[in-house]
Amino acid sequence: MPARSNKPPRDAVRHPLFARCYARASVTADDRFGIAAHRETLVAGLSGRVIEVGAGNGLNFARYPHSVSEVVAIEPERHLRQLAAESALRADVPVDVVPGTAEALPVKSESFDAAVVCLVLCSLQHVPRALAEIHRVLRPGGELRFYEHGLAEGRPGMAGFQRALDRTVWPLLFGGCHTARNPVASIGTAGFTELRYERLRVPADGPPMPHSFHVLGSARRP
């Protein structure tokens, strides 16, 4: 029986046009901009039961190591969830794709050894609530792995541009995405410890874009 009674409807998030564009663009970005290698690092060495929050079209599934006994993949958007279910069939580990939102995970407390978020905190309606939910469902000592984009640290001009975009057109055009969020700060504020990360620029070459400032790392639930 699920631990929570406020399970969201199956279509709690609907971005049909963006979802189709993202499904195509994400595959291209993996191949051309080096994101595939970052996905490999994101899940390397995980074991036991894993919850992936905001699984999208399931591009991480094929990269989970055999030491993972099960992946429960939460995805609220219908089209992406259907693609994730197809990706799950090709994975080397068991993957169960489930409708739900990050802010109300439909799973029991302290039931996972690890949690994965990948390019998802930017688009959530309530990041602190989502991180509190991830904290809830991880066992004590469980690990959070994250790969996100966000604020251009140390670049005030770009950071100001990002904030301006977030107040105007960017979320409308890109499925609720925000460019100026600070995932590292949010994870620390949510009570996770042992925070380790590296900052990346994607793509590594060429002029920086508002979504170019990435962070890849891990933290633990105390």
Side-chain angles (χ1 to χ4, degrees), residues 2-178:
R4 301 177 68 90
S5 59
N6 58 338
K7 183 177 178 179
R10 292 183 63 87
D11 295 322
V13 173
R14 288 289 286 150
H15 297 297
L17 179 59
F18 172 76
R20 283 162 173 77
C21 293
Y22 174 82
R24 297 183 180 92
S26 59
V27 175
T28 301
D30 272 22
D31 295 338
R32 293 184 57 189
F33 302 144
I35 293 179
H38 301 325
R39 292 183 188 275
E40 295 280 356
T41 303
L42 175 68
V43 302
L46 290 178
S47 62
R49 298 189 76 221
V50 177
I51 183 167
E52 182 171 339
V53 180
N57 47 338
L59 293 183
N60 292 327
F61 297 166
R63 297 174 166 87
Y64 280 101
H66 291 285
S67 51
V68 170
S69 60
E70 179 190 14
V71 176
V72 176
I74 309 296
E75 175 50 51
E77 211 290 324
R78 180 190 298 181
H79 180 68
L80 292 177
R81 190 168 63 246
Q82 290 171 343
L83 296 177
E86 295 171 8
S87 296
L89 297 176
R90 300 188 293 271
D92 292 332
V93 300
V95 179
D96 185 16
V97 179
V98 179
T101 65
E103 295 89 350
L105 295 174
V107 295
K108 293 181 179 180
S109 299
E110 300 186 2
S111 56
F112 291 91
D113 300 293
V116 171
V117 290
C118 182
L119 303 175
V120 65
L121 296 181
C122 61
S123 62
L124 298 181
Q125 292 186 12
H126 200 288
V127 174
R129 188 178 302 159
L131 289 170
E133 277 289 272
I134 293 172
H135 194 283
R136 175 184 70 81
V137 305
L138 279 174
R139 63 168 178 77
E143 186 175 18
L144 169 63
R145 297 281 186 91
F146 57 91
Y147 174 54
E148 297 290 338
H149 74 86
L151 188 68
E153 291 283 350
R155 301 177 65 116
M158 176 60 80
F161 183 46
Q162 288 176 314
R163 293 187 180 100
L165 288 175
D166 287 357
R167 290 192 298 268
T168 53
V169 298
W170 197 273
L172 296 175
L173 294 175
F174 297 103
C177 175
H178 296 74

